[in-house]
């Protein structure tokens, strides 16, 4: 890895911090602080001939030309379209997702939960203690949300389709309800952690929805609400140094696994 030429791509603040950490370790690093494929990015690739590329969690807008890279280039990705992944692999490149690393995903989930708390305070001026939150989904982010919010005295109801998730949430002392197609939420706050477009909401609904899942969010196509907000990249937004350290450690650990 001593001769590796790194290119880190993305506007998330953790990307810039991760580049700084790599440079401190003596790595050859170039950074592109944008989330889209541009002529500027193409020129950087042609100039530095990167051997290792880090893409942002939410991916980049546009398609990277897989023929621009030397055969055997290593890509570390977040969310990546299947067609982009196939194009890279077909040219002999290696594609690994840091989102498959359990340690990274759990640490990122905890920072997401803490980032939500900051967003909630800023947007509502409401204390968490004794406030009722409805959480949709009880995966990693849902579990960390429940942990952080309950520790601050919140009242929680967990909605999920999975019996395993419902059972775990109930065993941990939370009220649980099945997330059925005709589910009705109480007035107040709903936090979505499910990465699919499942929620039908009417313009007159005043349910405050905080969506922490990836694009395009949880609203069904054509739905909108003045009380809905999509919150992406909370770890990088609120805790860039800690988030970057998790990303840098994970990528370097993945590199060692390839050696």
């Amino acid at each position: 890895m001593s001769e590796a030429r790194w290119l880190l791509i993305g506007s998330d603040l953790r990307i810039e911090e991760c580049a700084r950490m790599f440079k401190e370790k003596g790595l050859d690093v170039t950074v592109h602080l944008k989330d889209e494929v541009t002529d500027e990015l193409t020129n950087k690739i042609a100039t530095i001939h990167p051997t290792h590329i880090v893409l942002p969690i939410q991916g980049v807008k546009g398609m990277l030309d897989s023929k621009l890279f030397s055969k055997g280039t290593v890509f570390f990705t977040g969310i990546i379209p299947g067609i982009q992944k196939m194009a890279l692999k077909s040219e002999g490149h290696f594609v690994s997702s840091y989102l498959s690393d359990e340690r990274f995903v759990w640490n990122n989930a905890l920072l997401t939960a803490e980032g939500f708390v900051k967003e909630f305070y800023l947007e509502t001026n409401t204390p968490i203690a004794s406030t009722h939150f409805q959480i949709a989904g009880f995966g990693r982010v849902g579990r960390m949300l429940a942990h952080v919010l309950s520790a601050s005295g919140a009242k929680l109801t967990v909605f999920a389709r999975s019996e395993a998730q419902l059972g775990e949430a109930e065993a941990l002392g939370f009220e649980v309800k099945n997330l059925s197609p005709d589910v009705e939420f109480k007035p107040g706050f709903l936090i979505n952690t499910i990465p699919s477009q499942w929620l039908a909401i009417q313009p007159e609904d005043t349910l405050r929805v905080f969506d922490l899942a990836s694009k395009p969010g949880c609203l069904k196509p054509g739905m909108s609400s003045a009380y809905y907000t999509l919150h992406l990249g909370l770890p990088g937004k609120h805790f860039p140094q800690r988030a970057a350290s998790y990303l840098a450690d994970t990528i370097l650990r993945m590199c060692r696994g390839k050696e």
Side-chain angles (χ1 to χ4, degrees):
M1 198 167 62
S2 59
E3 297 180 0
R5 294 179 300 279
W6 290 81
L7 174 60
L8 277 62
I9 302 171
S11 62
D12 188 313
L13 293 177
R14 84 183 86 190
I15 292 292
E16 188 172 12
E17 280 294 314
C18 186
R20 181 185 61 79
M21 293 175 182
F22 279 5
K23 288 178 181 178
E24 289 179 350
K25 294 180 179 295
L27 301 181
D28 181 354
V29 180
T30 300
V31 66
H32 180 76
L33 300 177
K34 296 179 182 178
D35 292 321
E36 59 185 337
V37 178
T38 62
D39 289 341
E40 180 188 357
L41 176 58
T42 300
N43 290 335
K44 282 183 179 179
I45 294 169
T47 300
I48 68 174
H49 302 289
T51 61
H52 293 67
I53 296 177
V54 179
L55 300 178
I57 285 185
Q58 296 296 328
V60 294
K61 183 178 179 181
M63 284 281 291
L64 290 165
D65 185 350
S66 56
K67 297 182 184 299
L68 287 175
F69 307 96
S70 302
K71 187 174 181 180
T73 298
V74 181
F75 290 80
F76 298 95
T77 72
I79 298 170
I80 182 171
I83 189 171
Q84 175 74 89
K85 186 175 181 179
M86 287 178 60
L88 293 172
K89 285 190 170 184
S90 68
E91 291 296 324
H93 306 310
F94 300 97
V95 182
S96 299
S97 175
Y98 46 81
L99 294 179
S100 65
D101 184 273
E102 287 292 327
R103 287 165 61 182
F104 175 81
V105 174
W106 277 106
N107 284 320
N108 195 66
L110 179 56
L111 291 185
T112 298
E114 294 201 29
F116 164 75
V117 170
K118 188 171 182 179
E119 297 274 302
F120 181 76
Y121 284 145
L122 290 173
E123 293 194 17
T124 70
N125 291 318
T126 300
I128 287 176
S130 299
T131 295
H132 180 230
F133 292 91
Q134 299 163 103
I135 299 176
F138 204 64
R140 298 172 184 84
V141 173
R143 294 173 201 173
M144 290 296 96
L145 272 170
H147 169 72
V148 169
L149 294 175
S150 62
S152 297
K155 300 176 181 178
L156 303 179
T157 302
V158 173
F159 293 80
R161 300 186 184 96
S162 164
E163 285 296 317
Q165 291 186 358
L166 290 171
E168 181 180 2
E170 189 172 51
L172 291 172
F174 305 123
E175 179 184 19
V176 299
K177 291 188 177 181
N178 183 48
L179 189 62
S180 60
D182 59 349
V183 65
E184 293 187 4
F185 297 102
K186 293 181 179 179
F189 302 109
L190 170 66
I191 312 169
N192 175 64
T193 67
I194 301 172
S196 67
Q197 294 174 281
W198 63 271
L199 180 62
I201 197 166
Q202 302 304 318
E204 64 272 16
D205 289 343
T206 58
L207 177 67
R208 181 68 173 88
V209 183
F210 294 87
D211 197 342
L212 307 189
S214 56
K215 292 179 181 179
C218 68
L219 294 187
K220 289 187 174 182
M223 297 285 180
S224 64
S225 170
Y227 299 96
Y228 168 89
T229 49
L230 179 61
H231 301 264
L232 301 174
L234 294 181
K237 178 180 178 180
H238 295 299
F239 316 108
Q241 291 184 333
R242 182 71 63 83
S245 70
Y246 291 147
L247 180 60
D249 289 347
T250 298
I251 290 172
L252 294 177
R253 187 168 63 249
M254 293 171 73
C255 277
R256 288 193 293 272
K258 294 180 181 296
E259 292 175 348

